[in-house]
Structures are given as structure tokens and as C-alpha cells.
Amino acid sequence: MTPVVTAADAAPGLDTDALLDDPGIRIVVCCGSGGVGKTTTAAALGVRAAERGRKVVVLTIDPARRLAQSMGIDQLDNIPRRVEDIEGDGELHAMMLDMKRTFDETVEAHTDAERARAILENPFYQSLSAGFAGTQEYMAMEKLGQLRARDEWDLIIVDTPPSRSALDFLDAPKRLGSFLDGKFIRLLMAPAKVGGRAGMKFLNVGMSMMTGTLGKLLGGQFLRDVQTFVAAMDTMFGGFRTRADATYKLLQAPGTAFLVVATPERDALREAAYFVERLAAEDMPLAGLVLNRVHGSEASRLSAERALAAAENLEEARIVDQTAGKAALGDPPLSPEPDLTSEPDAASESDASADPARVHEPHAGPDPRPGPGSQPGSESENVLAAVPVEELTAGLLRLHAERMQVVAREQHTRDRFAALHPEVLVTEVAALPGDVHDLAGLRAIGERLAAGSGRTPHGAA
């Protein structure tokens, strides 16, 4: 019988080791929607690349600082910090984007000291650099450009910002550029460009108009701060756009590889599909898809339907066989409950020793008195010991059925994505039982990234 091959099974595998080993690849960008494991993926790739001999720096924009904890670093800041205990001949450095510090460094590097001080002390600049929409994404690209220009690392791995949409990383430079080139900014720049009495007259007219309209909404002091900022930044506006364009071209270059990170959930894969299409439209090189937290089961031959049917049979009292030593589920006890306050007589003790099955009856609780050399059981162990084996088995069968339903749903979601984008290389990372919190955990993720390129049987872990 010919086996059924799903779209996901037919999808080509992504060889992450070949990607990390390729000397022509200098930048790897991990992108995707929030909460899909971009930071962990970037860190795991960094560890694996370094231990395979490359000099790597990982740039993260994750405010939770999980990367520093996983790599054994006290803190991450705007300066690359070397990670110790890396095995092999490579090196690993890690850093976390300090958005405001990067903006400050950009100002200081592209203007004279007096003008830089005026800009850095300007209230409007302080608000812009601390939280203007798109500033974080723009500064991530600015920092990427700085790191690449230094030519100090073999490989730069970028963890994109945890934004509402994965597309924000690509859109940010254009949004910030549009703001800096917008009509409002050009209006504020006009007085300085006109100059002389005409300029002062224009400024007075402009300020009067603003006082009558925008001033009522934003406040006169705010508008004056903006004007001061614009006057000081006038010579830098072109530089912002020039560097943004240069970084954008760097992302399109053959030495860059994008990895779209997602989980096998409908919303995450829909966002991944949007990003795949956007990368293609922008001529940016897509290496493949990393599918995180994929569930499986070693007992996949037992379907959810069969597991539920077996659980129902076990829970139906009339169907369960009543053999010696088993109490009927739901049946009343055949004899009155013993008086636990009285001492057992010799006859009853003799009967119990002669018939060991009696001491294992479900209604007879565990002996609270530990025997010689034994340790008292925990409360949960005592409770489990009192539960009939049929109930435990039925519960496990139901848990397995739920797991197989999750596996089936994830497989269906992956099949739909693969059918829409059969050209995308995929590697799957099996779900771990706990969080990653050290280098050993990152190594384990790296191994799963490498092993996930081979297609596994449906439902296998």
C-alpha cells in the first residue's frame, strides 16, 4: 500500500548547519510575530555557530533579558559581551539593543560636539529617542549597520524586536524617514532655510498660525522644542535616510539570510506567510522557516478516537471485568467498613496474610505506618495508591487523546502553509518539557534545529 504523503512531509528540509557554516553568510535575521521563540532561536543558532568555529555576535532586542541569563552573562547592554564556556574554536558575543543609547551614539558620531549637546538635551529629542513609534526598529537596523561596518565578526545574528507585527522591522526605516521628511517637519525647517528678515517674518507668521491651531492642542513650549530640535538636526536628516537605505540594501544582499520563526498555530503561521510574501516582494533572501514547539507522541499508532473509546470502556462499570482482587467500579462495598478504632483480632490478621489480594482492595487505603527501612510516601503518592488502576488508565488514555488531537491540528496547519509555500525550506523544533535557561538548553535547541530538517513520521516526537 502506497503511504500517504502530506504537503508538510513533502516540503524540503532546511539545513541550519550548512547555513551557519557558509562563510558567505554574514548576517542571519530571525523574524516573526511575538511569542514564537525568536530570541531563543537566535541564541541557539549563535551558540551552535560559535561551537562550529565561527566568531559570532548575537544582537537581541528582547527586554526580558532571558538571553543574558541563558548565556551566563550578568547583564547585556549596547556593548558586545563575550560568552564564556563555549566549546570549540569559535567565539560568541552577545548584546542587547539600548535604543536611546544607539540614537545618542548616532547623533554624536554625525555632528559636532556643540550641536550634539543641543540635540541630546532637547526635550523633544528625548521623547523621540525613548519611545517614538518605529524608533526601536530603526535603531535595530542602525546598530546592525554599525556592527557590519566594523567587520569584526564572521556572523551577525539579529533577533528582531517583539513588535505587534513581524513586518514592522522592515517598515520602520521608511516610517521614520517619512516622519523626518513630512510636511510638518518641513514647515518647521522652512524659517531656518529662508534666513534673514524674510525668515524671521516667516517664522513669526508660522508661529502665529501654530499658536492659533496646533498650539492649543500641543502647547507652545512643545512646538518650540520641536523647532529647536529640527534646527539642530537639519544636517542629520539626510544621513538618517542614507544609512537606512544602505542597511536596507545590506538586508537584500546575498550575504544575508532571513529565518522566519513561527509556532504550528494558525495565527503565527498566517503571520509567517505574510512575511514570506513580503520578503519575496522586497527581493530579500529567505533561508527558510523555523517551526518551534512542535508536539508529537511516541505512541502515535494509537489514535485519539481509539484512546477515547478505550477510556470510555474502562469507565463503564458493566464492561470492566470483575476478577478476584478487584472491586467493581461504582458498586457498593460487599461488607460494612471496618472499625478503624478497634484492634484487629488474630483471625482477621491471619486471613489477611493468607489472602494477599485483600490488602490491595481499592477501598482499603495505604498503610500509614511505614515498614522497616521504608520512607513515608508523599500525599500525592498516597492519593494515587487509593485510585483504582482502571481510573488511572482511563485518565492516561484521555490525556493521550488530547495530545493526539493537538498533533493532528498542528499537522493540518503545517500542511496548509506548505501547500501555499512549497518552496520554503522548513526545520521543526520539537517542544521541550521546560524553559531554556542555560547554555546546555541552548545547545539542545541547536541540535533540534539541525535534526529537524529531516522529515519525521506523522506524530513522532
Side-chain angles (χ1 to χ4, degrees), residues 132-183:
F132 187 79
T135 304
Q136 185 181 49
E137 288 82 359
Y138 177 87
M139 286 303 146
M141 297 189 72
E142 184 86 27
K143 178 58 69 175
L144 172 60
Q146 293 175 9
L147 292 173
R148 185 65 184 88
R150 290 166 62 178
D151 202 25
E152 184 176 347
W153 291 275
D154 299 334
L155 181 63
I156 302 169
I157 299 178
V158 183
D159 164 35
T160 54
S163 52
R164 177 190 60 80
S165 169
L167 302 178
D168 289 348
F169 181 68
L170 296 178
D171 290 334
K174 293 181 180 179
R175 286 206 311 271
L176 189 61
S178 299
F179 167 74
L180 296 177
D181 291 341
K183 294 181 180 179

Side-chain angles (χ1 to χ4, degrees), residues 195-283:
R197 292 183 178 180
M200 291 301 299
K201 182 177 180 181
F202 186 90
L203 175 62
N204 292 334
V205 173
M207 285 302 295
S208 298
M209 292 172 58
M210 292 177 194
T211 303
T213 55
L214 295 175
K216 293 181 180 179
L217 298 174
L218 304 177
Q221 183 60 48
F222 173 79
L223 291 175
R224 284 189 290 272
D225 291 339
V226 174
Q227 278 195 311
T228 305
F229 164 77
V230 169
M233 290 281 287
D234 185 17
T235 58
M236 291 191 61
F237 285 156
F240 276 113
R241 178 167 289 282
T242 299
R243 288 191 303 278
D245 291 342
T247 305
Y248 208 74
K249 291 179 180 178
L250 182 64
L251 294 176
Q252 293 175 316
T256 299
F258 279 84
L259 286 177
V260 178
V261 184
T263 54
E265 301 294 335
R266 183 177 60 181
D267 291 342
L269 277 176
R270 181 187 296 118
E271 190 77 11
Y274 290 154
F275 208 98
V276 166
E277 294 164 3
R278 173 65 185 277
L279 290 173
E282 299 288 340
D283 294 324

Side-chain angles (χ1 to χ4, degrees), residues 373-384:
S374 64
Q375 296 294 329
S378 66
E379 183 177 350
S380 60
E381 290 173 343
N382 291 338
V383 170
L384 287 175

Side-chain angles (χ1 to χ4, degrees), residues 18 45 48 53 55 118 120 124 202 232 245 275 310 330 350 361 379 426:
L45 289 170
R48 192 163 183 86
K55 187 176 181 181
L120 298 180
F124 178 75
F202 186 90
D245 291 342
F275 208 98
S350 176
E361 290 181 359
E379 183 177 350
V426 180

